Amino acid sequence: MDLEEAFQVVGEFGAYQKRAVCILALTQLYMACQSMLMVLVGAAPERRTGPSDGLQSPVAFSGDIDSIVTEWVLVKQQAYKVSLAGSLFFAGLLLGNIIFGPLSDRIGRRPVYLAGLFFEVLFGYVTVAAPSYELFAASRLLVGLMNGGIGLVSFVLTQEYVGKSYWAMTGTLTSMTFAVGIVLFGALGYAIRPWRTLAMVANSSGVLCFLLSATLPESPRWLYCQNHTDQAEQVLRYMALRNGSPAPRLTLRRVGGTKGGGRSPGVLRLLTHPVLRLRTLVLMYVWYVCSLVYYGLTLGASQMSGSRYVNMAMYGLVELPAYPLCVYVINQHWAGRRKSMSAFLCLGASACLVTVFIPEGAEWSAGVTWLALLGKLMISAAFNIAYVYTSELYPTVVRLGGILAPFVPAMRALATSMPFVVFCVSGFSAGCLVLLLPETFDRPSAETLEELCASQGRVLENKPLLYEDDKRDSNVE
């Protein structure tokens, strides 16, 4: 039998797969805390100038905020270092996506995921104990590197442990859990004010995630695609046993190809293949915009009026209705993937556009906050669709916009509405460009590049590998 037939025997989403997906979802809580760390530990309290000694006026801070700003006096000419630390994290996130994807194709999902999680926790403790800003910033780069890598691989594992009909559900669950992690981190920050203690408690949750993740098996889809058929059968038989439907005679169809083949040159075809080139460029820009607006709005929560802790929790809670909403819409014939993503991007941009015309002043601050939350809801829906849509067009596209996100809220120094202008222009442009892509809902998938060329309306099958050469005889999906 082929792999999909095997999952019908084993159970597409049995008790064992539910446990495995829950462990991976728990890791998303930890990853959310690391992604949002700078919102609270980089908080800048109001400051007042102390008595002058005739040479320079020392800086004194008001309030009970304990952050890297107060510890290392990151104000005036040094204020940019707060945004820089955040950008270093997202630069690491980008590198992690680029490095860990092909690496997990070559040596396996499980070892790459576990190694990345281990080192993220390790570097997280370096963040906690950093005696200087320079070491703190370096640790954020390394944490981001691991965070981006395990985020990509854990998402793939949630897909590869289950039957194909559950891919959309497990992918959406991953996004929802990340949003819950943002809410929980806001509550944790309210309860724990010293920034080092907060960072330590948030990072320690990663130890539990690592211990639980160590019990996870290798992806049977990756094993099968690498021609480790016997090992894939062992994993599937174990899943069947734990699901209460033993299948001791489960046997997979042997496939051709070179055993243990690593990364293929097929990734270069994303830019050289005539059909895929446009899709690649458009989707790279769409991912850039989704990441920029999503993280830009979230990281700007501390600069909104009101409690930064409540704001962060609200920016996480507002995402939750976005996911069932987008799942419903993208499965309707009148909407599909392409129109839905374009609509959500444009609606999010419209919410940001309206904030530009709201007068400055404390009496209008609540309106700006609610419109920003509406924009976050819409961009969250678009971001979730990007995962589904991209996986149906071809394996993966890296996230770029997060690197710039920490600096976007800082544009308030130029004009209060400047960040929303950036989000508005980016959202509208991406929403229009999405319409250049083909619709994938309820359409047959192409198995090879030749089939893709023969029918422009068809799309590449989402192979188990993150970067997959077209193999006619793989029969994985």
Side-chain angles (χ1 to χ4, degrees):
M1 63 182 71
D2 64 24
L3 203 57
E4 291 308 322
E5 292 172 339
F7 270 106
Q8 295 295 327
V9 175
V10 170
E12 288 194 282
F13 195 46
Y16 183 75
Q17 287 115 311
K18 290 175 182 175
R19 174 184 174 275
V21 170
C22 284
I23 292 174
L24 294 168
L26 183 64
T27 306
Q28 292 292 320
L29 299 179
Y30 167 69
M31 292 172 57
C33 291
Q34 289 291 1
S35 297
M36 298 297 113
L37 187 71
M38 286 303 301
V39 177
L40 298 185
V41 306
E46 294 184 4
R47 64 181 186 270
R48 60 181 184 275
T49 303
S52 174
D53 58 3
L55 297 176
Q56 57 179 192
S57 299
V59 176
F61 297 96
S62 59
D64 61 347
I65 295 178
D66 177 60
S67 68
I68 64 171
V69 175
T70 60
E71 179 167 336
W72 292 313
V73 195
L74 303 181
V75 297
K76 299 180 180 178
Q77 291 85 356
Q78 301 297 313
Y80 76 93
K81 291 184 176 180
V82 178
S83 296
L84 177 61
S87 285
L88 286 173
F89 174 88
F90 287 103
L93 202 72
L94 168 63
L95 292 174
N97 275 272
I98 295 173
I99 296 171
F100 279 59
L103 192 61
S104 71
D105 284 349
R106 182 176 296 274
I107 66 176
R109 314 293 195 226
R110 184 177 184 271
V112 171
Y113 170 71
L114 290 177
L117 182 54
F118 174 82
F119 282 107
E120 180 169 1
V121 174
L122 179 64
F123 294 136
Y125 283 121
V126 174
T127 294
V128 173
S132 65
Y133 168 81
E134 288 72 21
L135 185 57
F136 173 87
S139 71
R140 297 316 296 163
L141 172 66
L142 295 173
V143 169
L145 177 69
M146 301 302 156
N147 191 285
I150 68 172
L152 177 66
V153 179
S154 66
F155 177 82
V156 172
L157 281 173
T158 62
Q159 311 282 287
E160 296 186 346
Y161 281 151
V162 304
K164 191 173 182 179
S165 61
Y166 285 90
W167 284 1
M169 189 197 72
T170 56
T172 300
L173 178 63
T174 299
S175 299
M176 290 185 68
T177 311
F178 191 90
V180 172
I182 296 176
V183 177
L184 293 178
F185 185 62
L188 188 66
Y190 179 80
I192 304 174
R193 300 303 174 90
W195 78 265
R196 291 185 185 272
T197 306
L198 174 61
M200 182 180 66
V201 172
N203 191 62
S204 296
S205 64
V207 177
L208 175 62
C209 293
F210 178 80
L211 295 176
L212 292 173
S213 296
T215 65
L216 297 176
E218 181 56 270
S219 162
R221 294 181 184 274
W222 180 83
L223 290 170
Y224 184 61
C225 197
Q226 294 291 307
N227 277 345
H228 301 308
T229 310
D230 292 339
Q231 296 178 40
E233 290 171 347
Q234 292 175 9
V235 173
L236 290 169
R237 289 167 187 164
Y238 181 72
M239 286 184 174
L241 181 64
R242 295 294 299 272
N243 286 341
S245 55
R249 297 183 180 179
L250 185 149
T251 304
L252 294 173
R253 181 182 303 130
R254 266 49 183 173
V255 297
T258 304
K259 186 173 182 177
R263 178 182 176 184
S264 72
V267 67
L268 297 177
R269 298 189 183 182
L270 297 181
L271 291 176
T272 60
H273 191 276
V275 178
L276 295 182
R277 186 185 302 114
L278 176 63
R279 298 182 187 182
T280 301
L281 295 176
V282 170
L283 278 173
M284 286 183 70
Y285 182 69
V286 169
W287 275 87
Y288 159 80
V289 170
C290 286
S291 184
L292 173 70
V293 181
Y294 177 92
Y295 286 110
L297 287 172
T298 307
L299 295 175
S302 62
Q303 299 186 20
M304 292 294 183
S305 61
S307 168
R308 62 177 54 86
Y309 309 104
V310 174
N311 287 342
M312 172 168 284
M314 290 175 63
Y315 272 79
L317 285 172
V318 77
E319 289 187 44
L320 298 181
Y323 300 118
L325 173 63
C326 76
V327 169
Y328 170 77
V329 173
I330 65 176
N331 289 306
Q332 303 303 310
H333 287 281
W334 49 266
R337 275 62 161 157
R338 181 181 61 175
K339 293 179 182 177
S340 297
M341 177 176 280
S342 177
F344 282 122
L345 284 168
C346 291
L347 287 172
S350 298
C352 294
L353 175 63
V354 174
T355 63
V356 176
F357 300 101
I358 295 181
E360 296 185 23
E363 66 275 13
W364 298 100
S365 59
V368 174
T369 299
W370 284 108
L371 284 168
L373 289 171
L374 178 60
K376 177 69 183 300
L377 186 151
M378 295 301 167
I379 204 65
S380 298
F383 216 160
N384 192 55
I385 296 172
Y387 276 98
V388 177
Y389 198 19
T390 302
S391 69
E392 292 174 344
L393 288 169
Y394 45 65
T396 191
V397 175
V398 296
R399 287 168 282 183
L400 303 173
I403 299 176
L404 301 179
F407 279 103
V408 176
M411 291 182 181
R412 290 175 181 273
L414 302 177
T416 305
S417 61
M418 185 59 71
F420 294 103
V421 172
V422 174
F423 298 150
C424 172
V425 174
S426 300
F428 276 126
S429 59
C432 293
L433 286 174
V434 165
L435 297 176
L436 298 176
L437 299 174
E439 180 54 64
T440 60
F441 173 63
D442 203 21
R443 302 285 177 86
S445 297
E447 289 287 348
T448 66
L449 290 174
E450 289 76 11
E451 291 179 9
L452 188 69
C453 291
S455 177
Q456 294 289 327
R458 302 175 69 187
V459 298
L460 261 183
E461 178 75 13
N462 180 29
K463 302 291 185 181
L465 293 185
L466 300 183
Y467 301 92
E468 180 64 27
D469 202 12
D470 48 301
K471 300 177 182 178
R472 289 180 178 273
D473 56 351
S474 64
N475 294 319
V476 176
E477 302 300 344

mmCIF file of all heavy atoms in Angstrom, residues 5-6 44 50 57 74 83 132 171 174 192 249-250 276 278-279 311 353 380 423 426 458:
data_model
loop_
_atom_site.group_PDB
_atom_site.id
_atom_site.type_symbol
_atom_site.label_atom_id
_atom_site.label_comp_id
_atom_site.label_asym_id
_atom_site.label_seq_id
_atom_site.Cartn_x
_atom_site.Cartn_y
_atom_site.Cartn_z
ATOM 1 N N GLU A 5 -2.809 5.242 1.989
ATOM 2 C CA GLU A 5 -3.578 4.038 2.320
ATOM 3 C C GLU A 5 -3.169 3.505 3.689
ATOM 4 O O GLU A 5 -4.003 3.024 4.456
ATOM 5 C CB GLU A 5 -3.358 2.973 1.245
ATOM 6 C CG GLU A 5 -3.960 3.320 -0.110
ATOM 7 C CD GLU A 5 -3.562 2.339 -1.190
ATOM 8 O OE1 GLU A 5 -2.551 1.645 -1.025
ATOM 9 O OE2 GLU A 5 -4.262 2.284 -2.217
ATOM 10 N N ALA A 6 -1.872 3.613 3.987
ATOM 11 C CA ALA A 6 -1.380 3.173 5.293
ATOM 12 C C ALA A 6 -1.993 4.002 6.415
ATOM 13 O O ALA A 6 -2.362 3.460 7.476
ATOM 14 C CB ALA A 6 0.143 3.261 5.332
ATOM 15 N N ALA A 44 10.108 50.810 27.587
ATOM 16 C CA ALA A 44 10.793 52.059 27.953
ATOM 17 C C ALA A 44 9.879 52.885 28.840
ATOM 18 O O ALA A 44 8.889 53.446 28.370
ATOM 19 C CB ALA A 44 11.173 52.842 26.706
ATOM 20 N N GLY A 50 17.669 63.806 36.400
ATOM 21 C CA GLY A 50 18.039 63.994 37.783
ATOM 22 C C GLY A 50 18.863 65.244 37.964
ATOM 23 O O GLY A 50 19.186 65.953 37.001
ATOM 24 N N SER A 57 23.585 65.360 32.971
ATOM 25 C CA SER A 57 22.433 65.085 33.817
ATOM 26 C C SER A 57 22.136 63.599 33.792
ATOM 27 O O SER A 57 21.863 63.041 32.726
ATOM 28 C CB SER A 57 21.207 65.871 33.309
ATOM 29 O OG SER A 57 21.471 67.259 33.350
ATOM 30 N N LEU A 74 19.178 52.568 27.951
ATOM 31 C CA LEU A 74 19.060 52.637 26.491
ATOM 32 C C LEU A 74 18.090 53.747 26.104
ATOM 33 O O LEU A 74 16.954 53.508 25.689
ATOM 34 C CB LEU A 74 18.600 51.279 25.946
ATOM 35 C CG LEU A 74 19.496 50.090 26.312
ATOM 36 C CD1 LEU A 74 18.959 48.811 25.712
ATOM 37 C CD2 LEU A 74 20.945 50.329 25.860
ATOM 38 N N SER A 83 15.208 48.262 19.537
ATOM 39 C CA SER A 83 14.690 47.750 18.259
ATOM 40 C C SER A 83 15.696 46.850 17.568
ATOM 41 O O SER A 83 15.320 45.872 16.911
ATOM 42 C CB SER A 83 14.324 48.921 17.335
ATOM 43 O OG SER A 83 13.270 49.688 17.876
ATOM 44 N N SER A 132 25.873 42.088 29.716
ATOM 45 C CA SER A 132 25.988 43.300 28.907
ATOM 46 C C SER A 132 24.963 43.269 27.782
ATOM 47 O O SER A 132 24.446 42.197 27.423
ATOM 48 C CB SER A 132 27.391 43.426 28.318
ATOM 49 O OG SER A 132 27.643 42.360 27.399
ATOM 50 N N GLY A 171 -2.524 22.463 11.010
ATOM 51 C CA GLY A 171 -1.823 23.710 10.738
ATOM 52 C C GLY A 171 -2.474 24.896 11.426
ATOM 53 O O GLY A 171 -1.802 25.757 12.000
ATOM 54 N N THR A 174 -1.818 24.923 15.147
ATOM 55 C CA THR A 174 -0.497 25.472 15.453
ATOM 56 C C THR A 174 -0.550 26.997 15.570
ATOM 57 O O THR A 174 0.000 27.581 16.517
ATOM 58 C CB THR A 174 0.501 25.068 14.351
ATOM 59 O OG1 THR A 174 0.606 23.651 14.300
ATOM 60 C CG2 THR A 174 1.870 25.664 14.611
ATOM 61 N N ILE A 192 5.027 38.923 36.746
ATOM 62 C CA ILE A 192 6.469 38.946 37.015
ATOM 63 C C ILE A 192 7.065 40.181 36.354
ATOM 64 O O ILE A 192 7.209 40.235 35.137
ATOM 65 C CB ILE A 192 7.146 37.674 36.475
ATOM 66 C CG1 ILE A 192 6.483 36.421 37.055
ATOM 67 C CG2 ILE A 192 8.635 37.691 36.790
ATOM 68 C CD1 ILE A 192 7.005 35.128 36.465
ATOM 69 N N ARG A 249 1.001 -6.482 10.080
ATOM 70 C CA ARG A 249 1.378 -6.865 8.717
ATOM 71 C C ARG A 249 1.378 -5.682 7.749
ATOM 72 O O ARG A 249 1.419 -5.879 6.534
ATOM 73 C CB ARG A 249 0.415 -7.943 8.212
ATOM 74 C CG ARG A 249 0.474 -9.239 9.015
ATOM 75 C CD ARG A 249 -0.437 -10.300 8.421
ATOM 76 N NE ARG A 249 -0.372 -11.545 9.190
ATOM 77 C CZ ARG A 249 -1.074 -12.635 8.908
ATOM 78 N NH1 ARG A 249 -1.891 -12.627 7.844
ATOM 79 N NH2 ARG A 249 -0.955 -13.720 9.657
ATOM 80 N N LEU A 250 1.323 -4.492 8.283
ATOM 81 C CA LEU A 250 1.328 -3.300 7.430
ATOM 82 C C LEU A 250 2.609 -3.257 6.614
ATOM 83 O O LEU A 250 3.714 -3.306 7.157
ATOM 84 C CB LEU A 250 1.191 -2.041 8.289
ATOM 85 C CG LEU A 250 1.060 -0.701 7.558
ATOM 86 C CD1 LEU A 250 0.209 0.270 8.380
ATOM 87 C CD2 LEU A 250 2.418 -0.069 7.289
ATOM 88 N N LEU A 276 6.728 28.665 -12.009
ATOM 89 C CA LEU A 276 6.932 28.906 -10.581
ATOM 90 C C LEU A 276 7.557 30.251 -10.264
ATOM 91 O O LEU A 276 7.445 30.740 -9.137
ATOM 92 C CB LEU A 276 7.822 27.800 -9.994
ATOM 93 C CG LEU A 276 7.240 26.381 -9.996
ATOM 94 C CD1 LEU A 276 8.214 25.428 -9.348
ATOM 95 C CD2 LEU A 276 5.900 26.351 -9.284
ATOM 96 N N LEU A 278 6.881 33.428 -11.114
ATOM 97 C CA LEU A 278 5.947 34.464 -10.671
ATOM 98 C C LEU A 278 5.372 34.132 -9.308
ATOM 99 O O LEU A 278 5.257 35.003 -8.439
ATOM 100 C CB LEU A 278 4.828 34.632 -11.699
ATOM 101 C CG LEU A 278 3.722 35.626 -11.321
ATOM 102 C CD1 LEU A 278 4.306 37.030 -11.196
ATOM 103 C CD2 LEU A 278 2.591 35.604 -12.344
ATOM 104 N N ARG A 279 5.009 32.878 -9.116
ATOM 105 C CA ARG A 279 4.446 32.471 -7.828
ATOM 106 C C ARG A 279 5.434 32.708 -6.691
ATOM 107 O O ARG A 279 5.068 33.182 -5.620
ATOM 108 C CB ARG A 279 4.067 30.984 -7.863
ATOM 109 C CG ARG A 279 3.017 30.647 -8.890
ATOM 110 C CD ARG A 279 2.670 29.169 -8.828
ATOM 111 N NE ARG A 279 1.778 28.810 -9.914
ATOM 112 C CZ ARG A 279 1.278 27.602 -10.086
ATOM 113 N NH1 ARG A 279 1.593 26.642 -9.242
ATOM 114 N NH2 ARG A 279 0.459 27.345 -11.094
ATOM 115 N N ASN A 311 -2.697 45.111 26.586
ATOM 116 C CA ASN A 311 -2.595 45.258 25.124
ATOM 117 C C ASN A 311 -2.045 43.989 24.474
ATOM 118 O O ASN A 311 -2.553 43.531 23.452
ATOM 119 C CB ASN A 311 -1.709 46.446 24.768
ATOM 120 C CG ASN A 311 -2.388 47.774 25.030
ATOM 121 O OD1 ASN A 311 -3.608 47.833 25.165
ATOM 122 N ND2 ASN A 311 -1.616 48.837 25.099
ATOM 123 N N LEU A 353 -5.395 52.110 7.457
ATOM 124 C CA LEU A 353 -5.570 53.378 6.749
ATOM 125 C C LEU A 353 -6.457 54.337 7.536
ATOM 126 O O LEU A 353 -6.166 55.539 7.627
ATOM 127 C CB LEU A 353 -6.173 53.121 5.370
ATOM 128 C CG LEU A 353 -6.529 54.351 4.523
ATOM 129 C CD1 LEU A 353 -5.268 55.149 4.204
ATOM 130 C CD2 LEU A 353 -7.239 53.934 3.246
ATOM 131 N N SER A 380 -3.924 38.210 10.699
ATOM 132 C CA SER A 380 -3.760 36.858 11.238
ATOM 133 C C SER A 380 -4.451 35.847 10.342
ATOM 134 O O SER A 380 -3.928 34.749 10.087
ATOM 135 C CB SER A 380 -4.330 36.777 12.660
ATOM 136 O OG SER A 380 -3.643 37.644 13.534
ATOM 137 N N PHE A 423 1.992 49.817 7.117
ATOM 138 C CA PHE A 423 1.158 48.620 7.093
ATOM 139 C C PHE A 423 0.091 48.709 6.008
ATOM 140 O O PHE A 423 -0.216 47.725 5.328
ATOM 141 C CB PHE A 423 0.482 48.423 8.456
ATOM 142 C CG PHE A 423 1.443 48.220 9.597
ATOM 143 C CD1 PHE A 423 1.124 48.623 10.880
ATOM 144 C CD2 PHE A 423 2.687 47.628 9.383
ATOM 145 C CE1 PHE A 423 1.996 48.439 11.931
ATOM 146 C CE2 PHE A 423 3.576 47.440 10.426
ATOM 147 C CZ PHE A 423 3.228 47.843 11.709
ATOM 148 N N SER A 426 1.687 48.348 2.448
ATOM 149 C CA SER A 426 2.139 46.971 2.271
ATOM 150 C C SER A 426 0.967 46.031 2.078
ATOM 151 O O SER A 426 0.979 45.157 1.201
ATOM 152 C CB SER A 426 2.964 46.532 3.487
ATOM 153 O OG SER A 426 4.097 47.350 3.667
ATOM 154 N N ARG A 458 -3.258 24.025 -12.685
ATOM 155 C CA ARG A 458 -2.964 23.035 -11.675
ATOM 156 C C ARG A 458 -1.726 23.457 -10.894
ATOM 157 O O ARG A 458 -0.943 24.282 -11.336
ATOM 158 C CB ARG A 458 -2.755 21.675 -12.336
ATOM 159 C CG ARG A 458 -3.957 21.231 -13.138
ATOM 160 C CD ARG A 458 -3.682 19.948 -13.892
ATOM 161 N NE ARG A 458 -3.555 18.829 -12.964
ATOM 162 C CZ ARG A 458 -3.168 17.616 -13.359
ATOM 163 N NH1 ARG A 458 -2.863 17.396 -14.632
ATOM 164 N NH2 ARG A 458 -3.097 16.641 -12.486
#
